[in-house]
Amino acid sequence: MVGSDLRDALAERDESFLALTKSDLDIMNQRAVAKVVADEKPAIIVNCAAYTKVDAAEENERIANAINGSSVEFLAYAANEVGALLVQISTDFVFDGSKRTPYEINDAPHPVSAYGRSKLLGEQAATHAEKNLIVRTSWLFGVNGPNFVESIRNQIRKGTDLLRVVDDQRGRPTYTPHLASAIVRLAQLDTRGIVHYADAGECSWFDFAKTIVEESGAEVRMKPVSTDDFPRPAKRPAYSVLSTERYERVTGIAPESWRDGLREYLIRRPPSS
Ligand SMILES: NC(=O)c1ccc[n+]([C@@H]2O[C@H](COP(=O)([O-])OP(=O)(O)OC[C@H]3O[C@@H](n4cnc5c(N)ncnc54)[C@H](OP(=O)(O)O)[C@@H]3O)[C@@H](O)[C@H]2O)c1
């Protein structure tokens, strides 16, 4: 999802770049990572690859750690060989969600899921690159991947008469082209350390779903439910609103709105049949 939008954002700006898929480069293969970086000598490496199945990670923590943790070490070593900046994408799920005010970059991470733990390992690994930037983001939706917007649209398409959506988890939905632009901007400014980027406007999953329904022009009954009504293998933070104060200070730009992103998304992605 993020990788293809970043590719498009770079192409639009006439930047010179190489976009690799998993079949081009498996980041778990240290030798292959070292070779491609030594051959291409990039100034910047953005790692969009990850194990992203949050629930499945509970049973597959080793593989999640290998992709989200150890592989980032390989990228960090390779980046150091050519003096590249390593940009690692991380997540609001490194936090436990016990706060009730937005998470700042210096708040102590305390993941409550295997996925969150694996992503925290990735952050630690990324700091082994002499030049590193860790961009934490949240609740992504983009036209090139399965996401919450599609899951709501699929339920509407299947003719559900009642949409039940969790109302006691709060965060900041983020449209992936907005994130891609933010990453390009931060990298151009040679920003280092941890930065949070999330679109403007915090809400619950229920609020997000309600806006999707309204913007899609659908008519369906909706019911707010609690996390306990929807048991899932992985625990989610109840509150994972990221403060984007550092992003705004560094770039001088306020985050874009997820509602605007959603409108663009609905135009760009026709409903699946
Ligand atoms: N989605 C969210 O809501 C969210 C929220 C916060 C942060 N993030 C972070 O944002 C980043 C991008 O996420 P996304 O939503 O764009 O994920 P995505 O759509 O699942 O993309 C991840 C990509 O990584 C590839 N990949 C997996 N293992 C690999 C390997 N060993 N070598 C090379 N490529 C590999 C996957 O390929 P296959 O599909 O072929 O396996 C997939 O194309 C991740 O770091 C994620 O943790 C996501």
Side-chain angles (χ1 to χ4, degrees), residues 1-2 22 25-27 48-50 52 89-90 115 119 137 140:
M1 203 156 60
V2 175
K22 187 170 157 190
L25 176 67
D26 179 346
I27 60 165
C48 299
T52 54
I89 304 175
S90 194
Y115 168 75
K119 292 296 293 181
T137 186
L140 297 181

Side-chain angles (χ1 to χ4, degrees), residues 185-207:
R185 205 168 279 137
L186 289 165
Q188 279 170 340
L189 292 166
D190 200 20
T191 314
R192 309 284 173 84
I194 300 175
V195 177
H196 293 170
Y197 179 84
D199 276 351
E202 67 165 87
C203 65
S204 71
W205 289 112
F206 179 80
D207 302 328

Side-chain angles (χ1 to χ4, degrees), residues 1-4 20-23 25-29 47-53 67-68 71 88-93 115 119 135-141 144-147 176 179 205:
M1 203 156 60
V2 175
S4 37
L20 300 171
T21 66
K22 187 170 157 190
S23 53
L25 176 67
D26 179 346
I27 60 165
M28 289 202 287
N29 182 338
N47 178 27
C48 299
Y51 183 97
T52 54
K53 299 183 199 87
I67 298 173
N68 294 344
S71 299
Q88 170 67 7
I89 304 175
S90 194
T91 170
D92 53 334
F93 280 25
Y115 168 75
K119 292 296 293 181
V135 182
R136 292 192 188 125
T137 186
S138 60
W139 294 26
L140 297 181
F141 63 101
N144 295 299
N147 59 62
T176 47
L179 171 64
W205 289 112

